[in-house]
Amino acid sequence: MGVTRLKESGKIYEDSFTSRDLDTNWEVLPGDKSRYETGNGQLTLKHGIDPMYMFYKPLTTLKQFVLDVQNSYNPDTEGCYGGVIVFVDEHNFMEIEEFLDTSLPTPLLKTYPWIRLVREYNYYAAYWSDDGSIWHIIGSVELVGAPKIGLYLKGEGDHSMDVQRVRISRCSSISLDNLTSGTSVDLLDSQGRVLETKVCRFGSTEVQFNIDAYPYPMEGNFQIKLVDGNQYKSKGSMKLYKGDRMVFEVTPDLYYKETNSETGEEFDVLLYPNSDRFLGYLTAGGSSVQEVRMHATNPMVSGDFKNVTFKLTDGMDKVQIAPDVGGVPGAFSYSITAFTITAGESYPFWLRMEREESQDRYTSQVKFSLQMYSTYI
């Protein structure tokens, strides 16, 4: 966190078929379980008298996506086809075909290690690739309606179609929003090296990076340079998926201390924004008060946070917070302020919860919200 926040994940679905159970979102027609097998790192589709279809049902309503399929299909019989299909009805469909072409003087096997289908509303584009990184266009069509989209196999050959991976993303790029014109953004690898640089254009608030050429998922991060010269960069790296929508939002990372019940050792737990977290029991017969050690860390390489304020917004009748004074809580209240948190440093503080005084002490709960806001330079 620190410099960017994930607004929407680009990862819709991914399967490398290690489980023997097929995801329930697949619709198999005909429903003959002898026609397919899954597990051991691949999905195997088998020929039969009737064509076989495996539709991934959520794709019918998704108007924009990228479907990538890694497969091995080497038919040696004319009239056998496999690949990816978009099916509206028997008169309106699109097939990305793999087959044996016997129309040439020397029969040619037309097969692709990777197949890609890109949907942009009613427009569908087909691509192929040898490595899942560099793509070559096959063609495109326009289809109107509510299509079923997935895999297919036709013909009565003895060879199977083996699918090693299916991944579905919102698009092939990642975007970073909440920028101002002229802001420069570096895409960094896991070692902090600059891979690409984009500049937010006039009238826009975002930049985009196509990450097809990088490993999936990509391990990396961002470095942001504002027009006033200020520069922001988080420590470490994170997993970036195709289609991820990020926003530039510089905030400290908030942690609390938890104790390993077996070893007694303390460790830090990261609190994610806008999420709930259970902080422990206050059982009858024990102490009526529990104090939790917390700290806010500036995760950036450069740039300071000023006037970081922590404020309780709910549950104030049972919860209070206090600054850390020499390893112990200071005066408890409903808000505290860290005047400066420099790059890489932490601000420790305490949170105190009081047990609910009720007859049902085992099940009573104290719910509260902690709001954090700051300025940065």
Side-chain angles (χ1 to χ4, degrees), residues 63-64 118-125 141-147:
K63 303 301 183 182
Q64 295 173 292
V118 179
R119 180 178 184 180
E120 285 287 336
Y121 298 94
N122 292 331
Y123 293 90
Y124 300 84
V141 298
E142 180 181 6
L143 294 171
V144 179

Side-chain angles (χ1 to χ4, degrees), residues 100-303:
L100 181 67
D101 188 353
T102 59
S103 65
L104 303 173
T106 301
L108 177 65
L109 183 62
K110 292 189 175 181
T111 183
Y112 311 115
W114 285 85
I115 299 172
R116 167 172 285 187
L117 175 70
V118 179
R119 180 178 184 180
E120 285 287 336
Y121 298 94
N122 292 331
Y123 293 90
Y124 300 84
Y127 298 80
W128 71 271
S129 173
D130 283 324
D131 57 8
S133 297
I134 301 175
W135 296 90
H136 312 276
I137 191 163
I138 300 172
S140 61
V141 298
E142 180 181 6
L143 294 171
V144 179
K148 293 187 174 185
I149 300 169
L151 310 171
Y152 81 101
L153 197 64
K154 295 180 180 179
E156 296 186 53
D158 294 328
H159 32 266
S160 63
M161 177 179 175
D162 299 324
V163 179
Q164 292 81 34
R165 183 178 301 176
V166 172
R167 64 190 186 203
I168 305 170
S169 309
R170 299 190 183 280
C171 64
S172 58
S173 300
I174 54 175
S175 63
L176 181 59
D177 205 346
N178 198 32
L179 303 172
T180 55
S181 300
T183 299
S184 175
V185 181
D186 296 328
L187 176 64
L188 310 176
D189 67 10
S190 60
Q191 304 301 314
R193 295 175 294 228
V194 177
L195 299 173
E196 298 180 48
T197 300
K198 302 283 186 179
V199 177
C200 185
R201 295 178 296 179
F202 178 77
S204 179
T205 61
E206 71 170 25
V207 296
Q208 294 186 353
F209 295 91
N210 187 307
I211 60 172
D212 261 338
Y214 305 115
Y216 179 93
M218 178 187 170
E219 289 277 351
N221 217 319
F222 300 95
Q223 178 172 266
I224 290 89
K225 303 172 186 176
L226 305 183
V227 292
D228 60 9
N230 285 319
Q231 181 172 308
Y232 303 94
K233 175 184 174 183
S234 289
K235 290 183 177 179
S237 62
M238 57 186 171
K239 289 185 178 180
L240 300 171
Y241 290 89
K242 296 176 183 180
D244 279 355
R245 297 174 182 174
M246 318 288 292
V247 292
F248 174 46
E249 186 177 90
V250 184
T251 59
D253 290 343
L254 192 61
Y255 298 85
Y256 74 92
K257 294 285 186 181
E258 196 165 275
T259 303
N260 187 308
S261 59
E262 296 181 359
T263 65
E265 295 181 352
E266 285 189 327
F267 58 94
D268 291 332
V269 179
L270 176 64
L271 284 169
Y272 290 92
N274 304 313
S275 64
D276 297 331
R277 187 73 189 184
F278 178 70
L279 294 183
Y281 293 100
L282 285 171
T283 59
S287 173
S288 62
V289 173
Q290 177 176 325
E291 293 177 347
V292 179
R293 295 170 59 195
M294 306 188 71
H295 64 90
T297 298
N298 183 338
M300 298 186 294
V301 174
S302 61

Side-chain angles (χ1 to χ4, degrees), residues 365-377:
Q365 297 181 5
V366 176
K367 294 184 178 180
F368 64 94
S369 298
L370 182 63
Q371 185 181 65
M372 177 176 64
Y373 52 92
S374 67
T375 58
Y376 57 92
I377 61 171

